[in-house]
Amino acid sequence: MRLLVDPTFDAPGRRYSFGWGTSSVKTAGPALDVADLGPLDAVLLTHDQHADNLDDAGRRLLPSAPVVLTTVAGGRRLGATGLAPWQTATVGGVEVTATPSRHGPAWSVPIVGPTTGFALREADRVVWISGDTVVFPGVLEVASRFAVDTAILHLGKVQFGLTGPARFTMTGRDAARLCAHLKPRHVVPVHYEGWSHFHEGRAEIDAAFPQGALTWLTPGVQTALS
């Protein structure tokens, strides 16, 4: 199976509006070109309203994917399959369940819009992709519903000057607290670099976890998880 999450393939250097006076500059390009991806079984799109999750080149790629799973609102906008929290679809032999996600403080939801995570189950193995979220009861519920083997966590401590100290994704400390509930075998940090609105990088994330607890990915390099 080849599943692509949140395709962004634009070149770096451009500033993108995120709405309500916020914006971010893309500071790094993709590790692979679209032509090098190979055939896709599905695209898992945590949300379509922000360019760091779906940019112009990523949007052009979507029609080539046989299945696109996303939020209910995103599904309506894109003509894709929209899943509400805890709804399930099957891609090949993988059961894909949408999981709750809240992209910031509770007050920001009407402004930021809906997001989702994805729990992927094959046999007795579960890989959970958090999506862009903070820690809130819906995310903690994942631990009560799934025995997560691998947690792929969107981090980076997203902040904007206009919204002050409000955070729109998890910090390393948030992720460590969440993993105390999940107890996954593997923790993979993603979505913490390549854009100017990220305010916490590898050093801060690493410091929040016991030494050796995290699996770090190198862009463009295949990583095998046992």
Side-chain angles (χ1 to χ4, degrees):
M1 297 286 293
R2 181 176 281 116
L3 305 176
L4 180 64
V5 181
D6 289 355
T8 59
F9 289 93
D10 287 356
R14 176 177 161 192
R15 179 176 293 275
Y16 297 78
S17 172
F18 282 21
W20 290 80
T22 62
S23 65
S24 183
V25 175
K26 187 173 188 177
T27 59
L32 297 174
D33 292 327
V34 171
D36 297 327
L37 290 175
L40 300 174
D41 293 287
V43 170
L44 307 181
L45 183 60
T46 64
H47 58 297
D48 67 309
Q49 62 267 33
H50 297 146
D52 60 323
N53 302 89
L54 182 68
D55 60 13
D56 293 343
R59 198 173 291 268
R60 290 193 295 271
L61 175 146
L62 294 183
S64 67
V67 178
V68 178
L69 302 179
T70 188
T71 63
V72 172
R76 288 195 295 264
R77 286 189 288 263
L78 299 169
T81 300
L83 298 177
W86 310 122
Q87 282 191 319
T88 295
T90 301
V91 179
V94 178
E95 179 187 87
V96 182
T97 301
T99 61
S101 169
R102 198 183 77 197
H103 198 354
W107 58 261
S108 72
V109 173
I111 302 169
V112 175
T115 59
T116 188
F118 296 100
L120 317 178
R121 188 203 306 266
E122 185 178 27
D124 60 345
R125 299 284 290 273
V126 174
V127 175
W128 178 53
I129 303 165
S130 71
D132 286 9
T133 188
V134 295
V135 178
F136 75 110
V139 166
L140 296 176
E141 191 177 347
V142 172
S144 66
R145 291 186 179 238
F146 296 102
V148 175
D149 183 79
T150 298
I152 301 176
L153 303 181
H154 290 216
L155 304 180
K157 190 186 176 184
V158 167
Q159 291 180 300
F160 301 97
L162 186 69
T163 50
R167 299 195 301 267
F168 295 87
T169 59
M170 290 184 282
T171 66
R173 288 185 178 183
D174 294 334
R177 180 161 59 98
L178 176 59
C179 287
H181 290 269
L182 292 173
K183 297 179 173 59
R185 285 200 308 133
H186 304 288
V187 181
V188 183
V190 297
H191 205 57
Y192 61 88
E193 59 184 351
W195 292 79
S196 63
H197 62 312
F198 291 130
H199 290 272
E200 193 175 270
R202 177 166 176 167
E204 295 89 348
I205 297 167
D206 226 0
F209 282 83
Q211 186 174 4
L214 301 175
T215 298
W216 293 99
L217 305 181
T218 300
V221 178
Q222 187 177 49
T223 301
L225 296 179
S226 58

